[in-house]
Amino acid sequence: MDPVDALKEVGFWLERERAKTYRVEAFRKAAAALDELGPEQVAQRADAGSLGKVKGLGPKTLAVVEQALAGDVPDYLADLRERGDGPLADGGAELRALLRGDLHSHSDWSDGGSPIQEMARVARERGREYQALTDHSPRLTVANGLSAERLAKQLDVVAELNDGWDDFTLLTGIEVDILDDGALDQTPAMLDRLDVVVASVHSKLRMDHDAMTRRMVGAIANPRTNVLGHCTGRLVEGSRGTRPQSAFDAEIVFEACAQLDVAVEINSRPERQDPPDDLIELAMEAGCLFAIDTDAHAPGQLDFLDYGAERAAAHGIPAERIVTTWPKDELLAWTRRKKG
C-alpha cells in the first residue's frame, strides 16, 4: 500500500482511540515528510537504504513505511484496525446509522491539526453525506481565528474541493464566538455567505448568571445563528483538566432556541459531553431541535459521532428532531430559511 496513506491511516486510528498527541504527530509528520519528497524519491531512497535518514522518520514510522513499500499492510496498522473494529460507543447504533453529517469541525486554518483536504477526505470515507467546516472566528486569537479576509479565501478552497465530488459536500461554516453583549464575532456579510453558523461562548465562562443568559439569547436571536454550540462550556475530563458549566437560565435559553429555530448542539467530544443530561431533558421539553456534532479537530475524531448518538438515544430524542439526520438539501433549506 502507499506508505503516505499507511502513515495517515495510523494517525486516524490513534486519534480515534484518543492516543497521546505526540504519538499521533509522529505519524502525521512522517506522512508529510514523505509527501514532500514524492513517490519517486521515496522509492529511490528505499532502494538505497537511506530512508532512515529522512527527517521526520523514526523507528516506528520507518517500519510502517518499509512494510507498506513491500506491498504489505504494516503490522502496526493491522493491529490498530483490529482494535478499532466496531463503534466507539455501546448504545445508539440505530440512531448513529441515521446520521448523514456533522455541523462542527476544525482544520489547521484555526486550531485543528490537519488540512481541510484531509478532514474532508476522511469525512467522505467515513460515509458522511456532508461535513461542515467551522473554524474559529477572529477574536479567538489563541485558536488562530479567521478574519473575514481569511474566511473568504477558505470559501474558495472549499468550492474547489467540492467540484471534485458528487457524493459528498463540504459545507462552508464557522464556529463564531458569542461576544460579551451577544453579538457574533464576524461580519454579517461573511456570515450570510456561509452554509452553517455555530455560535459558541469561549470567554468569560464564569459570567454572572443573568448576563450570560442575555448574552446567549442575544446570539440565538441573530437570524444568522443555526446551532448553539457546547452550551455550558464545561470540561469533564481530558488533558485540559475539568471546568464547571457556565451559569445561565437554561429554560429561557432553550425556549429561545425552540422559538427561533436554533438547534442545540449535542457535542460528542468525550471531554465535553455538553449539554449535561439534565439540560438535554430541558431542551427536549422545550421542543428544541438538536445537532449531533463531533467538534473534531483531527480526522480520527470524526468518529466521535458514536458518543453523541449514544447520548441522544439514551434520552429518546426522535431522529426527526436531529438536523444532522436530515438530507443535505433539507438541512440547507433550514439554514438558509433562517437568513430570510
Side-chain angles (χ1 to χ4, degrees):
M1 64 185 302
D2 181 82
V4 173
D5 290 344
L7 290 165
K8 287 181 178 179
E9 189 180 344
V10 168
F12 168 84
W13 291 112
L14 288 174
E15 289 160 351
R16 187 179 188 270
E17 66 181 29
R18 302 172 64 199
K20 297 289 186 183
T21 302
Y22 75 87
R23 292 178 60 201
V24 177
E25 286 183 347
F27 289 91
R28 295 240 173 249
K29 286 178 179 177
L34 291 196
D35 215 14
E36 188 174 344
L37 282 177
E40 281 191 22
Q41 277 204 53
V42 170
Q44 290 171 5
R45 290 180 182 239
D47 290 341
S50 61
L51 265 180
K53 296 180 181 179
V54 174
K55 186 177 180 181
L57 286 184
K60 283 190 176 181
T61 53
L62 181 60
V64 168
V65 171
E66 289 177 339
Q67 288 182 306
L69 287 171
D72 300 322
V73 175
D75 294 338
Y76 189 43
L77 177 53
D79 180 58
L80 286 169
R81 285 176 174 177
E82 185 176 355
R83 281 172 16 203
D85 185 28
L88 288 170
D90 295 329
E94 186 175 338
L95 178 57
R96 174 65 183 87
L98 297 175
L99 295 177
R100 296 170 180 265
D102 176 1
L103 303 185
H104 188 169
S105 66
H106 300 271
S107 75
D108 61 2
W109 281 53
S110 64
D111 63 342
S114 291
I116 295 170
Q117 295 86 340
E118 182 70 4
M119 293 295 291
R121 180 186 69 81
V122 173
R124 179 171 177 259
E125 288 180 355
R126 301 307 283 177
R128 302 281 206 279
E129 181 181 329
Y130 50 82
Q131 177 72 44
L133 175 63
T134 54
D135 280 318
H136 288 286
S137 62
R139 191 175 79 161
L140 210 61
T141 54
V142 68
N144 194 27
L146 274 62
S147 64
E149 292 75 19
R150 289 182 65 215
L151 181 54
K153 291 178 181 177
Q154 187 180 86
L155 299 190
D156 292 337
V157 172
V158 173
E160 185 175 350
L161 284 173
N162 280 329
D163 282 343
W165 296 310
D166 56 12
D167 59 348
F168 171 81
T169 302
L170 185 62
L171 301 178
T172 60
I174 191 171
E175 184 183 15
V176 64
D177 208 26
I178 300 174
L179 302 178
D180 298 358
D181 61 357
L184 302 184
D185 180 39
Q186 188 50 270
T187 67
M190 282 307 305
L191 294 176
D192 282 340
R193 295 180 61 186
L194 303 176
D195 295 320
V196 178
V197 174
V198 178
S200 306
V201 173
H202 289 104
S203 61
K204 296 186 180 178
L205 294 171
R206 308 309 299 154
M207 180 181 277
D208 171 78
H209 172 281
D210 292 345
M212 182 64 85
T213 302
R214 289 192 296 272
R215 179 183 184 183
M216 295 173 74
V217 170
I220 293 163
N222 190 307
R224 298 170 179 87
T225 299
N226 303 121
V227 179
L228 177 64
H230 49 69
C231 65
T232 77
R234 74 174 187 168
L235 294 174
V236 297
E237 61 173 86
S239 60
R240 291 189 287 171
T242 61
R243 182 169 65 208
Q245 62 194 62
S246 297
F248 56 90
D249 191 319
E251 289 187 6
I252 290 176
V253 166
F254 294 146
E255 181 64 27
C257 285
Q259 291 295 322
L260 297 168
D261 211 19
V262 170
V264 175
E265 178 180 76
I266 296 179
N267 189 289
S268 301
R269 294 191 69 86
E271 71 269 27
R272 287 194 180 276
Q273 299 178 43
D274 202 359
D277 291 340
D278 61 329
L279 295 193
I280 291 179
E281 291 292 335
L282 271 178
M284 274 275 288
E285 292 168 9
C288 294
L289 293 172
F290 294 87
I292 299 176
D293 296 329
T294 61
D295 193 359
H297 286 63
Q301 295 172 5
L302 290 166
D303 274 10
F304 286 179
L305 278 185
D306 292 355
Y307 296 127
E310 180 182 50
R311 295 194 71 216
H315 289 279
I317 302 174
E320 60 269 19
R321 281 175 60 180
I322 300 170
V323 300
T324 42
T325 67
W326 298 354
K328 181 190 71 173
D329 290 346
E330 183 179 347
L331 176 86
L332 291 177
W334 168 69
T335 65
R336 290 164 183 166
R337 182 174 68 247
K338 287 193 82 271
K339 297 173 185 176

